[in-house]
Amino acid sequence: MNLHTFKKGGIHPPEFKITARREIKEVALPREVVITLAQHIGAPAVCAMAKGDRVCRGQEVAQAGGFVSAPVHSPITGTITAIGQSRNAYGQLVATVTIAADDADHDADLKAIAGATPVRTPEQAMAMEPKEITYIVAQAGIVGLGGATFPTKVKLSPPPGSKADIVIINAVECEPFLTNDHALMLAHPDEILEGVKLLMHAAGVERAVIGIEANKPDAIALLGEKAKNFSGIEVMPLKVKYPQGGEKQLIKAVTGREVPSGALPIATGAIVQNVATAYAVYEAVIWGKPLMERIITVTGPSLSNPGNYLVPIGYPLAKLVELAGGVPADTGKILLGGPMMGRAITNIDTPTIKGISGVLMLPQSMSERAQAEPCIRCAACVGVCPMGLQPYLISTHSRLGNWDDAEKLGVMNCIECGCCSYTCPSSRPILDYIRLGKMTVGGIIRARQQKQS
Ligand code: SF4
Ligand code: SF4
């Protein structure tokens, strides 16, 4: 079969999908959660509550701090015991709210979960105005669950003059090791399709495509069969190629359209949402459930109990790692996310947040960097760059502080996929320098815009 994919660049790293097809394990509801206020792109949520206030399961703890922001909710009933700061996974202090449950709170939550009923039927939901669906999505604190955590309501509110004609569901999961989306698709295909229908209704489009890489044939078959009952929804198997889960690459693979440099994806008429986001939309609209839990793949070659865990937001990361067998003795690096785009962390005494798709414990043997050698001008990094950039040149200009040149060469178009560093035979830290360039040039551009306005 001739499978769709994006054309420029890309690589095929080993998959290491250790936890593929493992059932979702639900972690027990904790007695205490720590809710981080900034767990999305945009302004942090704002908490107007005080220590000693009572909170119910599903209640908003802090409201959105602006248009590009999202509220956060408590997954447990309890009392606020602290409003202050905690260390995030990278060791930085961030604003948090701690909620603790007593025995009665805990029992009440377990009973409420067991006896939960939908707040409306899918038919009733489809009879609502699109803006009412978007409002529920905003109130539920739903953000992109592929890792970007961009507030979903913003994507459903295109800027004036833009119009969507397709919703693309990102079910690609091209990062090695991660299987949380795959597990979700096998467990909840009907709910995902209902969520896609709601997203189409909110966006005012007649067509949706669920893009799934061909290494998940069971999910393609299951969703493809069920999608026959949903008008306008199609499942598209995609060639296995990293970074197909990148928004621009997925739009290209599915529609053949190119997002212009510096433009938003909506410029192509496409709204891209992660498959777990579609499921969260279903839960919010049909069950009245805000985003207060997610599936996290906890994995690594030496881990004794790796798996796909359904975890309340605010759950202790260290406890989750314990459930998966604890940090293996040979661990060299712990990453949040996959090995390609995930970030190494320094602290597991931190709560889970909406953007954590995976916790990866890499053994020392897989996490050591080889000694960087001089560039041999082989152009391998150019060939694999999905954005058509010249990574060796941009990284050199960034290393030398030639910010004008880095900008002219399109440093801001880099999607930080890491294909260049992965491929370089000289083990050059290409992406590290490009990230430095993006940060600096981004600051220069913002300062220039401020001066002009
Ligand atoms: S990290 Fe940036 S420069 Fe390197 S391959 Fe990816 S998009 Fe290109
Ligand atoms: S892949 Fe490495 S060695 Fe080859 S051109 Fe790029 S930076 Fe230089």
Side-chain angles (χ1 to χ4, degrees), residues 385-387 389 391 414-420 431 434:
C385 179
M387 295 304 295
L389 303 173
C414 170
I415 58 166
E416 302 184 27
C417 65
C419 290
C420 48
L431 178 55
I434 291 182

Side-chain angles (χ1 to χ4, degrees), residues 99-123:
I99 299 154
D102 61 20
D103 287 347
D105 295 331
H106 192 68
D107 289 348
D109 279 348
L110 295 181
K111 277 197 193 112
I113 291 167
T117 51
V119 294
R120 57 178 67 83
T121 64
E123 293 71 29

Side-chain angles (χ1 to χ4, degrees), residues 32-296:
E32 184 181 277
V33 290
V34 179
I35 307 295
T36 305
L37 300 191
Q39 42 180 314
H40 46 262
I41 284 186
V46 179
C47 179
M49 303 185 92
K51 189 175 167 184
D53 282 354
R54 295 281 298 156
V55 178
C56 295
R57 172 177 158 82
Q59 187 179 331
E60 184 180 278
V61 173
Q63 62 189 35
F67 178 64
V68 182
S69 183
V72 291
H73 302 77
S74 174
I76 64 168
T77 297
T79 303
I80 294 181
T81 55
I83 297 180
Q85 291 187 315
S86 308
R87 296 260 170 217
N88 68 11
Y90 309 102
Q92 299 151 331
L93 281 171
V94 293
T96 51
V97 177
T98 305
I99 299 154
D102 61 20
D103 287 347
D105 295 331
H106 192 68
D107 289 348
D109 279 348
L110 295 181
K111 277 197 193 112
I113 291 167
T117 51
V119 294
R120 57 178 67 83
T121 64
E123 293 71 29
Q124 287 168 333
M126 290 302 285
M128 293 165 76
E129 288 292 320
K131 62 174 186 284
E132 290 179 272
I133 304 285
T134 305
Y135 179 76
I136 294 173
V137 167
Q139 294 302 108
I142 298 174
V143 299
L145 293 175
T149 66
F150 194 74
T152 302
K153 69 125 191 278
V154 180
K155 280 198 182 175
L156 291 175
S157 318
S162 315
K163 173 83 184 91
D165 63 6
I166 184 172
V167 167
I168 299 176
I169 299 300
N170 189 346
V172 169
E173 205 162 54
C174 59
E175 270 271 6
F177 284 101
L178 299 186
T179 58
N180 47 299
D181 285 346
H182 190 180
L184 177 70
M185 286 190 276
L186 296 182
H188 297 289
D190 297 297
E191 295 86 345
I192 289 168
L193 287 161
E194 291 291 351
V196 176
K197 206 166 84 179
L198 292 167
L199 284 167
M200 291 164 70
H201 184 47
V205 306
E206 302 291 325
R207 184 178 177 227
V209 173
I210 305 175
I212 310 176
E213 285 198 336
N215 57 1
K216 296 177 263 298
D218 45 4
I220 292 171
L222 184 62
L223 277 159
E225 189 54 37
K226 288 182 178 287
K228 289 178 185 161
N229 300 321
F230 289 79
S231 166
I233 305 181
E234 170 197 342
V235 172
M236 185 182 283
L238 300 168
K239 192 174 167 183
V240 179
K241 189 159 71 155
Y242 177 86
Q244 195 138 239
E247 207 164 39
K248 292 173 182 174
Q249 285 63 42
L250 185 56
I251 291 172
K252 179 74 181 172
V254 169
T255 68
R257 301 173 196 163
E258 197 102 37
V259 181
S261 173
L264 293 171
I266 188 68
T268 64
I271 291 179
V272 182
Q273 300 286 356
N274 179 265
V275 68
T277 308
Y279 179 68
V281 169
Y282 162 81
E283 291 222 297
V285 178
I286 305 299
W287 289 82
K289 196 170 158 188
L291 181 58
M292 52 184 180
E293 60 190 21
R294 69 156 298 150
I295 302 170
I296 299 176

